[in-house]
Amino acid sequence: MAQRRIAVIQAGTSLFDTPRTLERMEAHCQAAAAEGVELAVFPEAYVGGYPKGLDFGARIGSRTAQGRDDFLRYWQAAIEVPGPETARIGSFAAKMKAHLVTGVIERDGGTLYCTALFFGPDGALLGKHRKLMPTASERLVWGQGDGSTIPVFDTHIGRIGAAICWENYMPNLRQAMYGKGISLWCAPTVDERDIWQASMRHIAYEGRCFVLSACQYMTRADAPDAYDCVQGNDPSTVLIRGGSVIVGPLGDVLAGPVHDREAVLTADIDPADTIRGKYDLDVAGHYARPDIFRLSVNETARAPVSYQVEVADGEGGEDGEEPGEAAP
């Protein structure tokens, strides 16, 4: 197989300023395009922002008016999927002629979701993955995804999917992704800790896949003046220090980690290395022991409200279909 160039983009959000964030994103995409990449991955919550250090005025049994205003500001910075912002992000992918995966904060009614979006090299929005389990205080401001958005896309460079931040610690989700034959595992995150590096190497080795972990690098200067975070108000204070990394199917680090600055990390890979790796370990194949263990994945969309229209007697055709509609 031909060599492929892949990339992770370590960059920060202009918090609560989505137009400015998209301008920064476009510049990073141009830099990645100059490197000739075929896949670029941006961090968790890149568009819409990760409000690190805010508490949204929540205490057990009470919420504050200021916290509600913080949520309103966060909701206003989020994007609808699809929408004008996704069309613009798609145009970045089309100019790159590359696949693009990015974290966003998705607005759906009054609820926000931490979501990963997938774009093709023609700019088309291929689909999305909503984070299944927000971690700790994230649950105050993000809803939970369901099994209907756990896609793995078959592309000319490999099978692309994503797990967001601490979803990577969900063994059943990992096995579900392995079962779909994922070979390019995208891990948008804001986890800057050293142990995250061990986790990314473990997943690459366990799944015999390439792991692309993009982490934000964000300082207090990336947030507005009216931002009451626990870290303080010094503009130089680092809120998220990065640590983006690319790992190969045998756990070998191919690029990174990089800390304390924005960066475009690239690696040239041989997609066939995923098959070479599965020679002795295929956790969704010859190493699975389905006679003992079995995982069932419910991919049904779980809408909170469903609407049904009943057709009055005599108004519809056979079995209640609309007039002129063929019966199944």
Side-chain angles (χ1 to χ4, degrees):
M1 295 184 182
Q3 291 276 313
R4 304 293 188 183
R5 177 162 291 185
I6 60 177
V8 293
I9 314 297
Q10 180 162 293
T13 300
S14 292
L15 200 58
F16 305 133
D17 188 346
T18 294
R20 173 60 182 142
T21 297
L22 290 174
E23 290 175 2
R24 294 174 67 177
M25 185 179 198
E26 183 173 22
H28 290 304
C29 286
Q30 290 171 350
E35 297 283 346
V37 305
E38 296 180 81
L39 168 63
V41 181
F42 279 80
E44 177 183 17
Y46 181 73
V47 179
Y50 190 83
K52 186 167 182 179
L54 292 190
D55 61 18
F56 289 86
R59 300 292 186 273
I60 298 298
S62 69
R63 268 72 58 197
T64 67
Q66 179 58 50
R68 295 185 188 279
D69 286 342
D70 284 340
F71 181 78
L72 173 61
R73 182 167 54 166
Y74 197 29
W75 182 91
Q76 291 169 333
I79 67 172
E80 294 183 350
V81 180
E85 291 85 3
T86 61
R88 187 172 178 195
I89 297 169
S91 74
F92 303 160
K95 290 176 183 176
M96 294 169 64
K97 297 182 174 59
H99 289 272
L100 189 156
V101 179
T102 184
V104 305
I105 300 304
E106 177 190 1
R107 182 174 66 228
D108 188 353
T111 297
L112 302 180
Y113 296 93
C114 182
T115 299
L117 301 181
F118 303 82
F119 296 86
D122 60 353
L125 175 61
L126 302 179
K128 67 183 180 183
H129 165 60
R130 285 177 172 174
K131 192 173 186 178
L132 297 177
M133 180 51 66
T135 300
S137 295
E138 293 171 357
R139 295 172 204 163
L140 294 170
V141 290
W142 296 343
Q144 295 177 332
D146 61 30
S148 68
T149 65
I150 313 177
V152 171
F153 298 97
D154 193 7
T155 77
H156 72 282
I157 59 173
R159 296 182 63 81
I160 302 173
I164 304 170
C165 206
W166 275 27
E167 283 188 315
N168 286 274
Y169 294 130
M170 299 175 71
N172 287 341
L173 176 59
R174 296 205 307 270
Q175 185 66 0
M177 302 277 276
Y178 299 149
K180 293 187 176 187
I182 187 171
S183 59
L184 293 162
W185 181 290
C186 303
T189 190
V190 295
D191 194 330
E192 60 187 3
R193 301 169 309 153
D194 291 338
I195 196 172
W196 183 254
Q197 304 300 318
S199 299
M200 295 300 94
R201 295 187 68 185
H202 170 85
I203 290 172
Y205 193 78
E206 177 181 71
R208 294 304 204 248
C209 54
F210 292 96
V211 169
L212 300 88
S213 179
C215 185
Q216 287 207 35
Y217 169 70
M218 189 173 114
T219 69
R220 177 63 181 77
D222 291 315
D225 291 339
Y227 186 72
D228 188 20
C229 65
V230 298
Q231 293 90 342
N233 292 317
D234 184 341
S236 65
T237 298
V238 175
L239 301 183
I240 308 171
R241 71 186 185 103
S244 301
V245 68
I246 302 175
V247 187
L250 294 181
D252 45 328
V253 175
L254 305 180
V258 171
H259 295 96
D260 299 320
R261 63 182 175 89
E262 294 194 333
V264 177
L265 287 72
T266 65
D268 294 321
I269 65 168
D270 181 354
D273 283 346
T274 61
I275 303 303
R276 293 184 180 101
K278 289 180 180 177
Y279 161 62
D280 54 357
L281 181 67
D282 183 359
V283 295
H286 63 79
Y287 230 82
R289 289 303 304 271
D291 55 321
I292 303 172
F293 308 108
R294 186 165 297 177
L295 174 64
S296 176
V297 181
N298 186 348
E299 295 193 324
T300 303
R302 297 293 183 179
V305 181
S306 60
Y307 300 90
Q308 297 178 346
V309 177
E310 293 187 2
V311 179
D313 291 344
E315 293 184 7
E318 184 180 354
D319 296 330
E321 73 271 11
E322 293 293 331
E325 180 183 349

